[in-house]
Amino acid sequence: QVQVAESGGGSVQPGGSLRLSCTASGIIFRLYIVGWYRQSPGKERELVAQITSGGSTYYGDSVKGRFTISRDNPKNTMYLQMNSLKPEDTAIYYCNIRRVGNYWGQGTQVTVSS
């Protein structure tokens, strides 16, 4: 049984930083593409960043230069370091792990507000 769990969300002022973590079990983590999506009220879920099994990364235009995705395969964990946060980054952030299957975490709320 595959389990995916996020942590690290919270509230922060504009310009602040947060680090999200996503840990998975029940899969050979290193073989999977892992990524972060986010969804805010009234908007579609969008891809924020992803990292392949080979370490190639992708970032959405709105987060380039501010967010960094990384993975620690021995720990079955992926991270999203978010710096210079803006109010428009406010959303529920979801961890996604895919290869043969497609797995989602339950989501973690990130709120950027003064």
Side-chain angles (χ1 to χ4, degrees):
Q1 181 180 359
V2 179
Q3 292 185 322
V4 180
E6 303 104 334
S7 62
S11 295
V12 65
Q13 292 186 341
S17 298
L18 285 173
R19 189 175 81 155
L20 306 182
S21 300
C22 172
T23 300
S25 60
I27 58 171
I28 304 175
F29 183 81
R30 61 180 173 83
L31 298 180
Y32 283 68
I33 297 171
V34 293
W36 291 95
Y37 286 72
R38 68 185 181 187
Q39 188 169 22
S40 52
K43 295 186 178 181
E44 293 187 355
R45 191 173 294 190
E46 64 170 344
L47 176 61
V48 175
Q50 74 175 23
I51 183 167
T52 68
S53 58
S56 297
T57 57
Y58 163 86
Y59 295 95
D61 288 341
S62 62
V63 306
K64 283 180 181 177
R66 299 189 297 122
F67 291 10
T68 302
I69 190 170
S70 61
R71 63 192 299 164
D72 186 338
N73 290 333
K75 294 183 178 180
N76 283 13
T77 301
M78 167 183 62
Y79 304 98
L80 185 68
Q81 177 66 42
M82 305 185 293
N83 298 328
S84 302
L85 282 161
K86 303 175 181 180
E88 51 264 43
D89 294 318
T90 295
I92 299 175
Y93 284 70
Y94 296 92
C95 173
N96 175 257
I97 299 177
R98 62 184 175 89
R99 183 171 175 251
V100 175
N102 191 21
Y103 307 102
W104 293 91
Q106 80 285 355
T108 185
Q109 177 71 47
V110 171
T111 302
V112 185
S113 174
S114 56

